[in-house]
Amino acid sequence: MLNGKRIAAGVLVLFSAIGLSALTVTQEPQKKRPNEEAKAIPVELVLHVEGMHCGNCAKSLMTVLNNTDGVLAADVVFESKEARIRFDETRISKADLIALVEELGFEGRVKTPKE
């Protein structure tokens, strides 16, 4: 007859009832549950975007941004040439977002409060 006892870091040690032998089994580390992960602190970035020629340009840029890892929400408005992006800066940086906009053929720069 065997008794089981759990010890730290997912190691299970099985002892025989007579204490003659022990078997150690290691387990894969368990993934953190979603509520245990660090909470994202959303940051907002507003970019002035040049190079959009129509509403479809804005829609395409918005689609790419919204499908980018780390972006929580993005809204792009053709008329104001503005991209408003909420993102998790632990997963993507402002520089990465500007580089992405430029890779798509547009010019992106941080919009100043006076604009």
Side-chain angles (χ1 to χ4, degrees), residues 29-67:
Q30 293 181 350
K31 292 184 179 179
K32 290 183 179 179
R33 294 181 183 141
N35 61 353
E36 293 175 347
E37 292 181 10
K39 299 275 183 185
I41 299 173
V43 176
E44 186 170 270
L45 173 64
V46 181
L47 296 178
H48 179 78
V49 181
E50 286 293 333
M52 293 189 292
H53 302 290
C54 63
N56 283 333
C57 291
K59 186 176 179 180
S60 295
L61 177 56
M62 186 169 63
T63 299
V64 170
L65 288 168
N66 278 312
N67 288 309

